[in-house]
Amino acid sequence: MHAVRWMTLGAAALALAGCGSKTETTTDTTTVTANSDGTMANEMAMVPATSAGQTFANAAAASDAFEIATSQLADAQGASAKTKKFAADMIKAHTESTAKLKAAASAATPAIVPDATLTAEQQQVLDSLKGVKGADFDKAYATAQVDAHQKTLDALKANAGDNAVPQSLRDFATKLIPTVTAHLNMAKSL
């Protein structure tokens, strides 16, 4: 595959060499330049690092999306009234949390847009819950909620004191710690 790519680039470089021009092909990490004399030059491409604020905002948004998605499943597939009540509370709370996160992220300088894409682990848990119903679902959902809320609480505590995270997001994290602590305790009682 790489040999074909280099041969193609070499042919293109030779074709353009007579014109005295340059052509560039960019890959994920390297820019390959065909100089007018037919030689190849590599330059490292600049890949912007994700800021601590963006990383935290993405994690918080994914956490909210996960809680909402799994709680919607609980409403449809759960057996107990306690599980369904908890799920309804989580949908409401995490919808509100998402709105607060967006406001805090937009107040950051520069503004941050949270990405709510689930992590591979979150997607795997969500997918596994889709295949379970009734009392088995209730048990699996409770386990997932305890785990997710513990991870969220840990992330909130870590980012609330991280000076690399914009102040608006640190304030968001600090204010959310008591709520997530309460949700974790409720999940443990499921």
Side-chain angles (χ1 to χ4, degrees):
M1 179 81 178
H2 291 296
V4 171
R5 183 179 295 157
W6 284 111
M7 288 174 53
T8 304
L9 285 173
L14 290 174
L16 293 173
C19 300
S21 62
K22 288 184 170 185
T23 184
E24 290 187 359
T25 303
T26 303
T27 63
D28 290 342
T29 59
T30 305
T31 300
V32 178
T33 304
N35 296 319
S36 61
D37 64 0
T39 61
M40 303 298 269
N42 290 333
E43 302 168 19
M44 291 304 293
M46 298 300 295
V47 177
T50 303
S51 71
Q54 184 70 59
T55 300
F56 170 61
N58 292 351
S63 174
D64 281 341
F66 175 78
E67 294 297 331
I68 292 167
T70 56
S71 295
Q72 288 169 335
L73 277 178
D75 185 49
Q77 297 176 199
S80 75
K82 187 174 182 179
T83 296
K84 290 179 181 256
K85 167 77 168 96
F86 178 81
D89 291 346
M90 291 305 98
I91 291 169
K92 182 178 186 281
H94 287 279
T95 300
E96 291 170 0
S97 172
T98 297
K100 290 175 184 175
L101 171 63
K102 287 179 181 177
S106 68
T109 304
I112 293 172
V113 177
D115 179 0
T117 302
L118 299 183
T119 65
E121 180 184 0
Q122 289 168 327
Q123 188 62 54
Q124 182 179 21
V125 171
L126 178 61
D127 290 344
S128 71
L129 287 173
K130 290 177 182 176
V132 186
K133 294 193 186 314
D136 290 338
F137 178 89
D138 290 352
K139 184 177 178 181
Y141 174 72
T143 299
Q145 291 302 303
V146 169
D147 184 55
H149 281 93
Q150 184 63 60
K151 287 177 180 174
T152 298
L153 182 60
D154 294 344
L156 290 171
K157 287 179 178 178
N159 285 283
D162 185 351
N163 288 333
V165 174
Q167 185 64 50
S168 61
L169 288 170
R170 288 190 311 226
D171 291 345
F172 163 80
T174 300
K175 290 175 186 172
L176 205 55
I177 288 171
T179 303
V180 173
T181 301
H183 290 175
L184 176 59
N185 292 331
M186 291 187 308
K188 287 178 178 178
S189 73
L190 287 174

